Amino acid sequence: MVPSIRLYNTFTRAKEELSPLREGIVRIYSCGPTVYRYVHVGNLRTFMLPDLLRRSLEYLGYQTEQVMNITDVGHLTDDTFDRGEDKMLVSARLENKSPAEIAAYYTEAFMDDAARLNLRRADHYPRATDYIPQMIDLIEKLIARGHAYAVGGAVYYDIGSFPAYGKLSRNTTDKLLAGARGDVDPQKHRPGDFTLWKAAGEHRMQVWPSPWGPGFPGWHIECSAMSMSLLGDRFDIHTGGADNVFPHHEAEIAQSEGVSGHRVVTCWMHGGLLMLGGARMAKSAGNFFRISELEEHGFDPLAFRYLALQAKYRTKLSFSTQGLAGADRALRQLRERVMEWSDAIRPPEDAKVGDYEARFRAALADDLDLPAAMALVAELNRSDVAEGARASLLRSWDRVLGLDLDRGAPEVTLPAGASALLEARERARATKDFATSDRLRDELVDLGVAVTDTPHGQRWRSAPTKPS
Ligand code: AMP
Ligand code: ZN
């Protein structure tokens, strides 16, 4: 039986019980990277949210299906879209490559960086440029339903046509209008209207034909098109970073619901931002670290994962190399422990193990409380639970934590007959029958098992067998 799982929904600002639309499977859409530059560890923290979500849900008994889009055209955020340059094209010019080459290169770099952090691969990675017809189709429907208007080769969403606009971000229309800064495109009916399709300027490299003339799509429509094409017009969870709430996800709701006429996403989950030196880690500001840079400084990339696991996914997290160094030490120690304990004889079932397991599951089910799960790891380490049981519990939990805890400690299986000899030797030692205990030790060596005695009982490793 799958336990009840509660997840925080940004839309309602409350934890809600997960009830998947299709039995047994949770379907997730995640806003992915814009591939004109390398991702930084801030982006990776956001991508870790769906990874932890899937690992937790699967640990608790669900199947999952995940779509993560690759934005390979522009990154056309609202007003900066209207005035600023398309970052994809700036990169292409600076690097003297075609937009497609730039996108392919940085997509691969993203996959490598995600793998360094043990982020599980999504089931689908749709590229925005492959979904232009679907975007055009949605825009046509929005115009037909009175949610959008075409003017001068561009198409805008009329936010006045969608009364729920602003609900996700809790922005009122007044605030939205007041928030529209600087020069506003005179073609727009109102400053808060956002762009669905933009007419191509003269030097544009990525241009598609459309009913409104040659142009290219806005950023927000990409995610409506890709999510509904792959998951249909109702799916369970949508993830992104906290900075995606407005305008990106607000716009996505207006688009997807404007077309379908009903709620599309059941639960909106947002990851807290990673901060550096008091400011948001950002590509544009240049204050960021790549995961490979951290590795070059001698850190295990999974130390960043360890660091991120210690904070609740929804809170802001301040990054520092000192903090990372602490996480790196703690991770290495934990791996050494697991290696050491893996050699211990597995004890008979310990009732405490079941209790720890139940608490671990309860932490996951409580809105992915990974800090509580990590506290449980620490508590287990200090506990009197038998070492072999601790190691196997931690290995199992690592399916969610993803810290490679048994790295360097391959699972060694005892050769046939060795287990009985070890048990007999334990009994002999308990009755202080050292002659028998020594004889059994020799017999074990013959089987390739070297046994040592420690204050916590016998430990064994594989040993070279004696030449016969
Ligand atoms: P981008 O490639 O710029 O579209 O960013 C990809 C994802 O990273 C988006 O979902 C953002 O919300 C997220 N993101 C950007 N900066 C940060 C940050 N400093 N901390 C956490 N997530 C971030
Ligand atoms: Zn998106």
Side-chain angles (χ1 to χ4, degrees):
M1 239 270 297
V2 180
S4 125
I5 297 170
R6 285 155 56 80
L7 298 172
Y8 185 85
N9 185 353
T10 307
F11 198 84
T12 55
R13 302 287 194 279
K15 285 187 202 173
E16 291 173 358
E17 186 157 338
L18 173 71
S19 167
L21 294 159
R22 297 189 189 165
E23 204 185 322
I25 180 159
V26 182
R27 294 154 68 245
I28 305 161
Y29 182 88
S30 307
C31 284
T34 309
V35 284
Y36 64 88
R37 260 190 228 174
Y38 294 114
V39 293
H40 53 64
V41 289
N43 302 131
L44 289 172
R45 184 186 184 208
T46 285
F47 302 139
M48 215 174 122
L49 165 59
D51 171 75
L52 289 173
L53 176 65
R54 297 183 73 194
R55 286 168 178 267
S56 301
L57 293 177
E58 289 180 13
Y59 196 85
L60 297 173
Y62 281 110
Q63 284 179 41
T64 65
E65 181 180 3
Q66 185 199 10
V67 176
M68 180 180 277
N69 72 289
I70 302 287
T71 297
D72 60 351
V73 48
H75 186 309
L76 313 171
T77 60
D78 225 36
D79 273 348
T80 48
F81 168 27
D82 297 331
R83 288 193 308 277
E85 283 199 272
D86 181 331
K87 292 167 184 169
M88 194 79 198
L89 302 183
V90 173
S91 287
R93 265 205 306 283
L94 291 178
E95 300 184 25
N96 210 9
K97 290 187 182 134
S98 72
E101 283 170 330
I102 295 278
Y105 175 82
Y106 288 107
T107 302
E108 202 176 314
F110 158 68
M111 297 293 176
D112 289 348
D113 287 349
R116 284 188 169 94
L117 209 55
N118 273 351
L119 300 188
R120 281 194 26 197
R121 286 180 63 88
D123 300 291
H124 315 273
Y125 286 107
R127 291 179 303 181
T129 50
D130 290 334
Y131 285 80
I132 304 288
Q134 289 87 338
M135 295 181 212
I136 291 176
D137 180 55
L138 288 184
I139 297 171
E140 285 185 309
K141 287 187 173 132
L142 286 171
I143 294 174
R145 288 168 177 53
H147 288 299
Y149 52 94
V151 45
V155 183
Y156 300 96
Y157 193 102
D158 170 11
I159 60 167
S161 73
F162 190 75
Y165 192 73
K167 232 173 159 182
L168 178 75
S169 57
R170 305 265 160 116
N171 277 341
T172 61
T173 310
D174 285 351
K175 275 199 233 155
L176 296 173
L177 293 186
R181 301 170 304 269
D183 324 324
V184 170
D185 182 345
Q187 296 194 125
K188 287 184 182 179
H189 291 178
R190 59 179 100 210
D193 290 353
F194 60 87
T195 310
L196 295 168
W197 188 263
K198 181 84 178 162
E202 255 180 46
H203 302 292
R204 219 50 236 172
M205 293 151 99
Q206 287 179 296
V207 180
W208 290 267
S210 83
W212 316 285
F216 54 96
W219 171 36
H220 313 315
I221 197 70
E222 296 180 8
C223 284
S224 284
M226 289 184 270
S227 63
M228 291 199 291
S229 295
L230 288 157
L231 295 173
D233 63 5
R234 292 181 202 267
F235 56 94
D236 301 300
I237 300 177
H238 196 309
T239 73
D243 58 327
N244 289 150
V245 174
F246 184 85
H248 187 48
H249 292 162
E250 195 75 77
E252 186 175 327
I253 292 174
Q255 296 161 164
S256 300
E257 297 191 5
V259 168
S260 69
H262 58 71
R263 187 165 158 191
V264 174
V265 175
T266 308
C267 181
W268 286 89
M269 293 180 77
H270 291 98
L273 294 180
L274 190 70
M275 311 295 284
L276 179 62
R280 176 188 144 186
M281 190 177 277
K283 284 176 191 170
S284 50
N287 66 326
F288 64 87
F289 284 104
R290 287 189 60 200
I291 192 84
S292 56
E293 282 177 286
L294 300 177
E295 212 173 353
E296 280 156 23
H297 283 97
F299 295 110
D300 186 315
L302 293 179
F304 178 74
R305 195 174 165 102
Y306 189 101
L307 185 78
L309 285 171
Q310 285 175 307
K312 181 80 194 168
Y313 76 84
R314 282 196 277 131
T315 60
K316 273 189 190 166
L317 172 63
S318 285
F319 178 85
S320 70
T321 42
Q322 293 93 311
L324 187 66
D328 193 83
R329 273 194 303 277
L331 174 60
R332 287 173 204 268
Q333 270 170 17
L334 190 57
R335 284 195 190 129
E336 276 168 28
R337 289 278 179 83
V338 172
M339 182 149 69
E340 212 179 289
W341 296 336
S342 299
D343 288 343
I345 307 301
R346 181 154 316 172
E349 274 304 300
D350 186 334
K352 281 181 243 118
V353 169
D355 181 49
Y356 272 99
E357 177 65 15
R359 288 166 67 201
F360 183 77
R361 286 169 177 266
L364 300 182
D366 180 14
D367 191 29
L368 315 182
D369 195 347
L370 271 308
M374 292 300 278
L376 212 54
V377 169
E379 189 186 319
L380 177 69
N381 290 351
R382 290 190 306 266
S383 73
D384 60 359
V385 171
E387 294 184 352
R390 276 189 242 175
S392 64
L393 207 44
L394 286 172
R395 279 220 205 84
S396 159
W397 293 356
D398 202 35
R399 292 186 352 237
V400 178
L401 305 177
L403 294 169
D404 287 0
L405 290 183
D406 60 2
R407 190 189 285 174
E411 182 95 54
V412 184
T413 45
L414 278 171
S419 181
L421 292 180
L422 283 165
E423 276 165 29
R425 186 167 181 273
E426 205 151 63
R427 282 195 300 276
R429 284 176 53 77
T431 57
K432 301 204 184 317
D433 178 359
F434 294 115
T436 305
S437 139
D438 287 348
R439 180 176 52 75
L440 290 169
R441 183 207 301 265
D442 289 343
E443 285 183 33
L444 281 159
V445 171
D446 289 342
L447 289 177
V449 175
V451 62
T452 47
D453 299 308
T454 77
H456 307 289
Q458 307 182 97
R459 288 256 176 74
W460 63 268
R461 298 179 183 282
S462 342
T465 43
K466 279 186 197 160
S468 48

